Structure formats: structure tokens, C-alpha cells
Amino acid sequence: WYYAEGRTPPAYSWLAATKIRGSIAEMPFGLEPEYLYVLRSTAHHKPLVNGSSGFYPPAHDRLADLAQRKPIPLSLYDKLAEARTSILLVHPYLLNSADRAVLRSWLREGLRSGAATFLRRFDDGTRGDWVFAIRPISPEAFALRQETPDQAGRTPQQNLEAFLSGDSIAWTEGPIAETESP
């Protein structure tokens, strides 16, 4: 935990205050970010589908296998629903540009098919945290949507469309910088 930032990102504060039916899954799947997901779960106290404690059960391995394929299969949404996932929290800034493109394609397909519903974006990292509901588990998700424009005047839907169409960086409160390799 030596490299983990001490503040609680806004998405996790929102999760703590939001009543949900099932569990939370975070993208990307993978060893390093999952340690951080476990740490952040201490802020929201909701069940977590993918976190690491040093042991991965077979169900996690099956989800991780699907999540790390290129392209990510649409069936991952069904498997997340089977795992009682109601909220999908996406952290694009944890991925390189090629993997972000794969993730964006999967998200577009999930939204188009009705497997997922976009809820909101939170300012964090260079691309923010994006929150989606997994539809079979969270049919009431529309009540959780944010419709307020950001300080640049773009609505959450406009920011989502910009992100999904080309990895555009949405308005952020602080300075941003990124490097994909040192």
C-alpha cells in the first residue's frame, strides 16, 4: 500500500452513500489495480467482485480471463450479472491507449445492447472514473444517473460520447499529465 494515495476518490465516496443491490466490479482486472480496489473498498463497504487478498477463486479467474481478452467479449456482461454485479466502475487511466480502445469498444457494445447503463463520471486521474450499472441486476439504475453539466458545460452524456468515440479527456479540476512508458 506504500504507493496508494491517502485521499478517497470521489467515486468511492459516492458508492459509500449509494444503496445498491449487488456487488461492484472494477475495470481493469489485474493484480496491481486489484490491490488498490481492496484498499478503496474500505471507503464504500460494498461487496467487491475483483480484489486481491493473495488468493483468486476460480470464478474470479474466469471473469479476469474474459476481461483481459482482445476484444473483450460481450458475454462478460452476462458473467458479471451472474456474479450479482450491479455497479461497474471503470478506471481508463490505469490502461495504455491500445487497451483503452479495447475497453471503449466493449463499453459501447454493452450500452448498445442494453447490458449496461451509463450512470456518471467522477473527476479522478487523467480520464476520470466512469460508473455503469449492469442492467439485469440494477433495473432502477436510471435513478442514479447524473445529468448536471461539468464546469466546461458538457453534460455527462456528452463526456461519455467523447470518451467512447476517441479517448477524449473530459474536464478535470486539477492539472493532468500522463506517460505510457518512462
Side-chain angles (χ1 to χ4, degrees):
W1 305 110
Y2 67 92
Y3 68 92
E5 188 177 356
R7 73 174 180 84
T8 300
Y12 295 99
S13 297
W14 177 81
L15 284 169
T18 302
K19 183 176 169 75
I20 63 171
R21 288 183 193 208
S23 58
I24 297 166
E26 299 191 49
M27 295 285 279
F29 273 69
L31 183 60
E32 274 192 47
E34 290 187 5
Y35 285 115
L36 188 58
Y37 304 159
V38 170
L39 173 64
R40 297 296 183 223
S41 73
T42 64
H44 61 70
H45 301 282
K46 305 276 193 295
L48 186 62
V49 169
N50 59 323
S52 179
S53 65
F55 170 75
Y56 289 110
H60 174 278
D61 289 343
R62 287 188 294 273
L63 288 171
D65 174 62
L66 291 172
Q68 293 170 350
R69 289 185 188 174
K70 295 175 185 176
I72 302 170
L74 195 56
S75 63
L76 178 57
Y77 288 106
D78 295 331
K79 296 299 181 190
L80 289 170
E82 287 173 19
R84 304 286 305 148
T85 303
S86 56
I87 297 291
L88 177 66
L89 180 55
V90 178
H91 312 283
Y93 54 88
L94 295 176
L95 296 167
N96 63 39
S97 58
D99 289 339
R100 277 194 305 270
V102 170
L103 176 67
R104 286 193 317 268
S105 177
W106 177 72
L107 290 169
R108 275 192 304 274
E109 286 300 311
L111 292 167
R112 190 177 2 250
S113 72
T117 301
F118 171 62
L119 297 182
R120 53 184 56 219
R121 176 195 174 272
F122 289 93
D123 189 16
D124 192 41
T126 56
R127 286 175 169 76
D129 290 325
W130 299 82
V131 182
F132 299 85
I134 303 299
R135 289 296 300 272
I137 303 302
S138 297
E140 73 285 353
F142 289 107
L144 302 175
R145 289 185 70 150
Q146 176 191 18
E147 299 298 335
T148 309
D150 63 21
Q151 291 186 358
R154 291 199 308 192
T155 66
Q157 188 64 36
Q158 288 171 321
N159 279 323
L160 176 68
E161 290 166 10
F163 166 61
L164 293 178
S165 67
D167 211 14
S168 172
I169 296 175
W171 179 87
T172 184
E173 190 171 305
I176 57 172
E178 71 177 44
T179 180
E180 290 192 13
S181 62

